[in-house]
Amino acid sequence: KVSTDLFWFLVAAVSLVVISLIIESLSPRKSLRRPARIERISAAIGVVLIAYGSSATGGVDSPFAAFLIFSAFYAAYFMDRRGAEGITALCTVAALAPLLYDADATEANGPIYMIALIAVIWTLAATVLYRREVARGVERAATFLALADPLTGVANLRSLEEFFDTLVGKDAGPFAIVMADMNGLKGANAVFGHEAGDDMLLRLAQLMQGASDRKAQVARIGGDEFAVVLPGADQAGVDEWCATFNETVEVHNEEVRS
């Protein structure tokens, strides 16, 4: 009977994997939720099959229970945090399931084994999720450094070019470009030092951002040269931005003088 149950368990597991792959291949690639939903359901059914295999091959003493560790690892490594926590919790329930049907689960080393298994499952899942968050933080930082000016935090030339490509590729309609540079930066660096010059560049970038809406992109394209891209703006929009920016600069300069 055990060998028969094991055979059908393996058949069900293989069939589940094949069906999941077929459904995912037929799903629209534009929808990211459907494959993720299929993945969660497949992982949950896989945990149930592991629990069934454990019950059919010895309960608390079944070697199939160790496969719950691999299920938790898969969920923590590939799924989002919510899905990983759900599958890990389901693995915990499956690890405790022998308490319902195995009379030996509370005898000898059964409780110790279940506690150790659950501890390994949650420790592994938490560790993998933590390392994923760290890796994502490093990736976001690397992306920021690649696409942003490290001094001012605004876009760099590469990011500006990609923004142009996006506007042209989407046929987003007209857009305007405003160019600006800072006068006297070299003199400020020579007299007051480069820290003062860097502070001036940072304040200029902040003033340009303050005069722009969320759709616009401010970029530093040279040492003291900046550009602002205004999607959907015509000449009147450019004039309005310039007037807003000049007013912002005047207010800032008055505050500095006072």
Side-chain angles (χ1 to χ4, degrees), residues 101-121:
Y101 59 81
D102 190 355
D104 298 330
T106 58
E107 299 178 0
N109 295 325
I112 298 176
Y113 175 76
M114 285 188 290
I115 292 174
L117 179 61
I118 294 172
V120 170
I121 288 173

Side-chain angles (χ1 to χ4, degrees), residues 3-257:
S3 60
T4 302
D5 289 339
L6 179 59
F7 170 76
W8 286 112
F9 166 73
L10 294 175
V11 170
V14 173
S15 301
L16 174 66
V17 173
V18 173
I19 293 173
S20 299
L21 291 175
I22 293 175
I23 295 176
E24 184 175 354
S25 64
L26 296 177
S27 63
R29 292 297 178 182
K30 294 182 180 180
S31 176
L32 298 178
R33 293 183 178 180
R34 184 176 299 179
R37 203 174 292 126
I38 294 174
E39 183 182 40
R40 289 184 182 181
I41 295 174
S42 301
I45 296 176
V47 173
V48 173
L49 290 175
I50 292 173
Y52 172 75
S54 299
S55 66
T57 55
V60 71
D61 296 325
S62 172
F64 278 97
F67 284 100
L68 294 173
I69 298 175
F70 295 99
S71 298
F73 174 81
Y74 175 90
Y77 192 84
F78 290 105
M79 296 183 181
D80 57 23
R81 190 175 191 89
R82 183 178 179 183
E85 291 176 348
I87 295 300
T88 304
L90 187 60
C91 289
T92 303
V93 174
L96 294 173
L99 293 173
L100 301 177
Y101 59 81
D102 190 355
D104 298 330
T106 58
E107 299 178 0
N109 295 325
I112 298 176
Y113 175 76
M114 285 188 290
I115 292 174
L117 179 61
I118 294 172
V120 170
I121 288 173
W122 279 101
T123 301
L124 181 65
T127 302
V128 173
L129 284 173
Y130 173 75
R131 295 189 64 171
R132 278 181 59 188
E133 291 298 323
V134 172
R136 286 179 179 177
V138 173
E139 183 179 357
R140 286 193 292 267
T143 302
F144 175 79
L145 291 176
L147 299 177
D149 176 58
L151 175 62
T152 61
V154 299
N156 58 16
L157 182 59
R158 175 185 172 186
S159 181
L160 183 67
E161 292 174 347
E162 292 185 0
F163 190 61
F164 281 145
D165 294 339
T166 301
L167 291 177
V168 174
K170 290 184 177 180
D171 193 17
F175 61 88
I177 305 173
V178 180
M179 308 289 290
D181 62 71
M182 177 180 292
N183 296 327
L185 179 61
K186 292 183 179 180
N189 286 333
V191 176
F192 301 106
H194 287 279
E195 291 185 0
D198 291 346
D199 182 65
M200 293 171 62
L201 290 171
L202 176 59
R203 282 184 287 160
L204 176 58
Q206 292 173 344
L207 293 173
M208 296 181 75
Q209 286 182 311
S212 307
D213 57 22
R214 294 183 177 180
K215 296 180 180 180
Q217 185 177 71
V218 180
R220 183 186 179 194
I221 58 177
D224 61 352
E225 298 175 344
F226 291 82
V228 182
V229 182
L230 306 173
D234 51 12
Q235 185 60 50
V238 173
D239 294 339
E240 180 181 357
W241 185 91
C242 291
T244 302
F245 174 68
N246 290 332
E247 181 180 353
T248 303
V249 171
E250 287 297 328
V251 172
H252 172 267
N253 290 341
E254 286 297 328
E255 292 177 353
V256 172
R257 294 189 188 99

